[in-house]
Amino acid sequence: MNHPIAYAAIIIWPFIIFYLFKRYGLQSGVLIGLLGAYMFLPASFEINLPGIPAFDKFTVTTMTFIAYFFLNKKTLGYDSLSRFLKIIFLGFLISPFLTALTNTERFYHLPSLTMYDGLSDTVGNYLYFLPFLIGVKYFRSYESQQLMFRYFAIAAIIYAVFALYEIRMSPQLHRNLYGFFPHSWAQQYRDGGFRAIVFMGHGLLVAFFLALGVAFIATMKSAQTKLFSFTGNGVLLLFVFITLFLSKSLAALVFGLLALVSILFIPNRLVHLGAVIIAVMFISYPILSSVKLFPHNTILEYAHMVSAERAQSLEYRFDHERELLSHANNKSLFGWGGWGRNRVRDDLTGDDLSTTDGKWIITLGVRGWFGYLTEFLFVVLPIWLAFKCQGIVKSRSKDAKNEGKFLASQALIVALILVDQMPNASLNPLYWLIIGSLLGRCYEIISVNQVKTDSTAKINNSLEIK
């Protein structure tokens, strides 16, 4: 089916990004480019050309970034990574090749994997991950961190307006502009009303984006940094939170409420500790589920107290996770690869019996433990480094209170992105930018502290000599 406006939007977008770079500079260009792509370009749409990755809203954006960086002789953040993370990054890139090498047999009616599959997925991984490297190098300063928070906060406020419209009038903006509905209509109707999808493709993605928006705005409020001159941050925070409440996503509402309370009322030290606990829980969840130590039944009991319908949905999800995890364990090291080989199938007919929602189980099934760890360690390690850096900020920063608040809030935001990969698959290049920025911010804090320590030692040594 032809969707001329969708085609036009994807084709024109690179020219818009180049204009943004020229008009607003690199940092603002990257932020507006990724935010604009996620918020307004068509969802579930791509242009397929032979021999190159498909052009969708994110690949066209990151490929444009590569072209801009190449033409302007700018480097990415690979050299900024530690030696350990450079090795992990290379592992992340070669993971699809290892998966292809260990899946040369057919699976039911599905084809075997080839080196072409490995190459195609490696290119896809790089484009998907590229904003992380940009974040590490170009969003590592306190000023760039503040800029990123401001852009995300304003983006959430703008999107809340569109979301409120669709909650009231039904999710029709995508269909009206691009000529097609990007997902199942039934999934956007819940509790007698509508979820907003706007241009993200699913109501759960919009709700989670708004939950992160609550965190960004709450941080700006805590730091007493006004977003607009005509109104206070408290009013804007309330507006976005009410929209989140009306979005009919219990998980996103819990995330938003957790962020709100943590950022405004809980000490930074405890916020960092909570982020670390979330990270440890996520990385160990597949193991705990495999050995039946994760309290699924207890969670279901609490879910029944909230809503029988939601509890039934959660139980359905857990049942499918167990089946998918059992299947993934049959190729635990490098996974089953693409083409739906990671999914559970009927022994007689080969029909697909699976429902895959969480990013964690998709990654584990497709790439195995090697792919799972080489990808998600890039999310876990920045959270851990931020926890270690909090003391440096508190003792040495000129603006220790606000700088510490921004660092703790960003660590919490990254932790929320991580934990959302358990029920959903919301991780995308825009969120990789936030994660990479946190790692770069930690590197910058450690580097500045080292310089100050060395300078102090030299001064003390010279005084002793005198």
Side-chain angles (χ1 to χ4, degrees), residues 38 120 166 210 263 343 370 389 425 447 460:
Y38 191 39
S120 175
E166 287 202 337
L210 294 175
I263 292 169
R343 303 171 72 87
F370 186 83
C389 287
S447 175
N460 291 338

Side-chain angles (χ1 to χ4, degrees), residues 213-223 237 259-260 263-264 405 409:
V214 167
F216 285 112
I217 301 170
T219 305
M220 304 296 283
K221 175 177 172 55
S222 179
L237 180 60
L260 182 67
I263 292 169
L264 295 182
K405 177 58 68 177
S409 296

Side-chain angles (χ1 to χ4, degrees), residues 44-339:
S44 304
F45 178 84
E46 59 186 29
I47 300 175
N48 287 291
L49 297 175
I52 60 175
F55 290 98
D56 62 20
K57 62 165 64 184
F58 278 126
T59 57
V60 72
T61 301
T62 53
M63 290 173 75
T64 305
F65 289 170
I66 292 173
Y68 174 82
F69 276 59
F70 176 76
L71 292 174
N72 290 273
K73 299 179 180 179
K74 295 182 181 293
T75 59
L76 297 172
Y78 176 76
D79 291 337
S80 300
L81 299 178
S82 67
R83 182 179 299 177
F84 174 70
L85 283 181
K86 286 179 180 177
I87 295 172
I88 297 298
F89 177 62
L90 293 176
F92 174 67
L93 289 183
I94 68 170
S95 172
F97 284 106
L98 299 176
T99 301
L101 287 171
T102 54
N103 284 275
T104 56
E105 77 288 351
R106 292 179 63 86
F107 179 64
Y108 290 99
H109 59 280
L110 301 174
S112 59
L113 301 186
T114 65
M115 286 297 98
Y116 179 82
D117 294 307
L119 177 62
S120 175
D121 289 348
T122 292
V123 173
N125 277 1
Y126 182 74
L127 295 175
Y128 165 79
F129 191 74
L130 179 74
F132 177 93
L133 299 176
I134 296 175
V136 170
K137 182 164 186 177
Y138 296 101
F139 290 87
R140 60 191 297 146
S141 68
Y142 180 39
E143 292 73 22
S144 62
Q145 185 184 41
Q146 290 176 299
L147 181 70
M148 184 178 68
F149 270 68
R150 177 178 291 276
Y151 272 81
F152 270 88
I154 293 173
I157 295 164
I158 293 171
Y159 227 57
V161 175
F162 290 99
L164 276 179
Y165 172 83
E166 287 202 337
I167 289 169
R168 177 65 182 87
M169 303 302 294
S170 82
Q172 295 287 351
L173 291 174
H174 196 286
R175 187 198 302 274
N176 291 340
L177 180 60
Y178 292 119
F180 69 99
F181 195 77
H183 208 280
S184 165
W185 175 265
Q187 292 188 24
Q188 315 315 321
Y189 187 82
R190 175 65 71 92
D191 298 332
F194 296 105
R195 287 169 165 165
I197 68 164
V198 196
F199 301 104
M200 290 185 181
H202 199 288
L204 296 178
L205 298 177
V206 174
F208 183 66
F209 184 77
L210 294 175
L212 295 186
V214 167
F216 285 112
I217 301 170
T219 305
M220 304 296 283
K221 175 177 172 55
S222 179
Q224 298 181 341
T225 305
K226 291 196 69 173
L227 289 166
F228 301 106
S229 59
F230 57 84
T231 188
N233 289 346
V235 174
L236 300 172
L237 180 60
L238 180 62
F239 170 65
V240 174
F241 187 81
I242 289 174
T243 308
L244 171 62
F245 178 79
L246 296 173
S247 295
K248 303 174 184 65
S249 171
L250 180 60
L253 179 61
V254 171
F255 295 155
L257 187 60
L258 174 63
L260 182 67
V261 172
S262 299
I263 292 169
L264 295 182
F265 304 109
I266 296 178
N268 293 339
R269 177 178 58 85
L270 294 181
V271 174
H272 279 290
L273 181 61
V276 170
I277 291 172
I278 290 173
V280 172
M281 177 189 69
F282 177 88
I283 211 73
S284 61
Y285 178 70
I287 298 175
L288 296 177
S289 295
S290 294
V291 298
K292 296 180 172 55
L293 289 179
F294 192 84
H296 291 100
N297 291 333
T298 302
I299 293 174
L300 286 174
E301 290 174 4
Y302 282 111
H304 272 289
M305 296 179 186
V306 177
S307 167
E309 181 183 356
R310 294 183 187 276
Q312 184 179 8
S313 175
L314 187 60
E315 185 174 14
Y316 177 83
R317 184 190 299 270
F318 284 161
D319 289 341
H320 278 267
E321 279 186 359
R322 279 191 288 269
E323 295 294 329
L324 288 163
L325 187 57
S326 176
H327 179 59
N329 286 335
N330 291 328
K331 284 184 178 280
S332 58
L333 189 54
F334 299 120
W336 287 90
W339 302 102

